[in-house]
Amino acid sequence: GENVEQHPSTLSVQEGDSAVIKCTYSDSASNYFPWYKQELGKRPQLIIDIRSNVGEKKDQRIAVTLNKTAKHFSLHITETQPEDSAVYFCAARIPTGTASKLTFGTGTRLQVTL
Amino acid sequence: SQTIHQWPATLVQPVGSPLSLECTVEGTSNPNLYWYRQAAGRGLQLLFYSVGIGQISSEVPQNLSASRPQDRQFILSSKKLLLSDSGFYLCAWSPRTSVFHYEQYFGPGTRLTVT
């Protein structure tokens, strides 16, 4: 089955700096890669996603890049703010008919300090 | 717009007791539905998913079962809880109307503590 590895497990940056979180996946058939943000005690929230036919996607301060050949994808947050502090999860979708069967990484705890 | 509900929000149960967690989705038809478990400080583990009424796929052999009695209702059950069943249980849905929509959205979760 699919295996998703995520690094780093913790990341501390100063407000205004950039943050990068990296994930690798094992199954070359995976075709969809979402990123979720989870605040303490809350549900994961989808913040950005990318499909396998696209190399990069940007939404304001966040961007995701995908390298299918190397089977890795990354989340980039620019101009970080204290409200960006949370746990971020990457995931990869294995094609299973119409179901979105996702395998998640182990998460990155991002702390943005003043 | 679509809304996903879960209840109860929190639950404390003794070892060996039964469990029933409910998830319902509003504002969409024929959703794909999912149950995840998140252990404290850990990632999300897919437990079950369903593409239609009565259709359940199990991902991990365990002490739990799932059922989908109605199109927008998904239930997670156990006959006898174990201490290791403690965790944050999340229901999620994704559209089934198009192969171009893979987004998955989570409910508010149920925090289960088995004592």
Side-chain angles (χ1 to χ4, degrees), chain A residues 31-32 36 38 41-44 46 49 51 89 93 96 98-102 104-106 109, chain B residues 32 34 36 38 42-44 46 49 51 59 88 90 94 96 100 102-104 106-108 111:
Chain A
N31 62 356
Y32 170 70
Y36 288 84
Q38 186 177 30
K42 301 291 181 63
R43 76 184 85 183
L46 179 65
D49 55 16
R51 299 174 194 282
F89 292 96
R93 174 188 184 266
T96 312
T98 61
S100 274
K101 184 177 163 182
L102 299 178
F104 283 81
T106 50
R109 185 173 300 278
Chain B
N32 293 320
Y34 311 82
Y36 290 87
Q38 186 175 33
R42 304 290 296 276
L44 293 95
L46 178 63
Y49 69 93
V51 298
E59 289 299 297
F88 192 36
L90 291 154
S94 67
R96 189 152 50 97
F100 298 110
Y102 302 140
E103 300 87 353
Q104 199 167 122
F106 286 88
R111 195 164 302 280

Side-chain angles (χ1 to χ4, degrees), chain A residues 21-78:
Chain A
I21 303 170
K22 299 181 179 182
C23 289
T24 60
Y25 61 98
S26 60
D27 193 331
S28 57
S30 292
N31 62 356
Y32 170 70
F33 307 91
W35 286 89
Y36 288 84
K37 174 183 179 182
Q38 186 177 30
E39 297 177 352
L40 190 62
K42 301 291 181 63
R43 76 184 85 183
Q45 298 272 16
L46 179 65
I47 56 171
I48 196 168
D49 55 16
I50 193 167
R51 299 174 194 282
S52 57
N53 59 347
V54 176
E56 184 173 357
K57 183 177 178 180
K58 188 173 182 180
D59 182 4
Q60 298 182 359
R61 295 187 297 108
I62 59 173
V64 58
T65 58
L66 171 66
N67 183 326
K68 283 175 57 180
T69 303
K71 290 191 280 190
H72 67 70
F73 56 112
S74 301
L75 177 71
H76 304 253
I77 306 175
T78 58

Side-chain angles (χ1 to χ4, degrees), chain B residues 53-54 67-71 73-75:
Chain B
I53 296 173
S67 62
R68 185 169 176 175
Q70 299 180 41
D71 180 48
Q73 184 185 31
F74 206 20
I75 296 172

Side-chain angles (χ1 to χ4, degrees), chain A residues 100 102 104, chain B residues 4-8 19-24 32-38 44-50 56-60 62 64-69 72-77 88-93 104-111:
Chain A
S100 274
L102 299 178
F104 283 81
Chain B
I4 180 168
H5 302 279
Q6 285 187 247
W7 63 90
L19 174 74
S20 181
L21 304 182
E22 190 166 342
C23 169
T24 59
N32 293 320
L33 297 172
Y34 311 82
W35 278 113
Y36 290 87
R37 176 170 58 203
Q38 186 175 33
L44 293 95
Q45 180 187 36
L46 178 63
L47 303 175
F48 302 94
Y49 69 93
S50 171
I56 309 294
S57 296
S58 174
E59 289 299 297
V60 183
Q62 60 209 316
L64 302 169
S65 62
S67 62
R68 185 169 176 175
R72 290 171 288 178
Q73 184 185 31
F74 206 20
I75 296 172
L76 184 69
S77 303
F88 192 36
Y89 287 82
L90 291 154
C91 180
W93 76 275
Q104 199 167 122
Y105 302 99
F106 286 88
T110 294
R111 195 164 302 280

